[in-house]
Structures are given as C-alpha cells and as structure tokens.
Amino acid sequence: MKILDLFNLTEQQQTKLAGLGDVQVIEPQDLNDNNSKEIDAIYGWDAHAEEVLTASPKLKFIQSNSAGVDYMPLSEFQKKGIIWQTLAAFTQNQSAKQSLPMFCRLPAVL
C-alpha cells in the first residue's frame, strides 16, 4: 500500500506503518507521474492530493488536515468510492493518533 504523506507523519508513526509490511510512505517531494498512479491513501490535502485524485485508480482513503470540507471535491470522492475523514473536533496531534490506527487497518479493507 502506498500512502501520500501531506501531514508530516512523525518518525514513530512512519515506523508503525513500515512495520505492517508492504506499506510505503511517499513524501510530496518524491511524488512523480509513476507513483502518483499507485497511491492508495492520502494523509492531508493540497494540490498534490488533487493530482493523485485524478491519476490514481487505486485511491480509497483520504484523511484531510482540516475540519472544513468546502474546498474538497466530495462528489468526486463519492463517485470514486473514496472514504474520507476530517479533523473535526481534533487537534492535529489527536487526529494523527486517531487516523494512524485506521491506516493500520486499511490494507485489510483494500
């Protein structure tokens, strides 16, 4: 599973993900035409995420880095069957703690 990290996962969080086996965390500076087509999940939202939304038929999960969603293409998520989660009622640190377990279960869902 390939995860685009736009939320700056901590070293500890990346280590947990790596411990799952076939998980690769891709940083925005490493995103390219080839690996953008292989992204399964996005942690955060920006122009890189929009590119992946268009390029990757494998994308199944997005964790936004804000509580608001008015800037996100929700109808596109629904059309493509993408699960998304916001930061509503969480601080960034709390959200990372809540979302990381979901990422850890994501390979079983995908």
Side-chain angles (χ1 to χ4, degrees):
M1 178 174 67
K2 292 186 176 149
I3 300 170
L4 177 60
D5 174 24
L6 302 174
F7 204 57
N8 299 320
L9 291 172
T10 66
E11 196 66 38
Q12 181 182 14
Q13 291 166 328
Q14 288 193 25
T15 300
K16 278 189 174 184
L17 288 171
L20 295 173
D22 190 24
V23 176
Q24 179 183 3
V25 177
I26 298 172
E27 299 299 329
Q29 66 271 17
D30 300 322
L31 192 64
N32 59 48
D33 289 341
N34 292 326
N35 63 16
S36 66
K37 297 174 186 170
E38 300 294 320
I39 301 291
D40 299 289
I42 300 173
Y43 199 60
W45 189 260
D46 68 6
H48 294 98
E50 291 180 31
E51 291 173 28
V52 171
L53 177 63
T54 302
S56 180
K58 297 178 70 177
L59 184 61
K60 295 294 178 208
F61 179 81
I62 297 170
Q63 166 68 57
S64 76
N65 50 355
S66 69
V69 296
D70 57 329
Y71 61 94
M72 298 177 80
L74 302 181
S75 61
E76 188 73 15
F77 295 171
Q78 186 175 19
K79 184 169 51 172
K80 292 184 173 191
I82 296 170
I83 299 167
W84 55 276
Q85 179 178 336
T86 69
L87 290 185
F90 292 110
T91 65
Q92 286 186 354
N93 190 38
Q94 289 170 322
S95 179
K97 288 178 182 176
Q98 295 291 325
S99 297
L100 188 60
M102 180 173 255
F103 274 136
C104 292
R105 290 189 304 271
L106 196 57
V109 174
L110 299 176

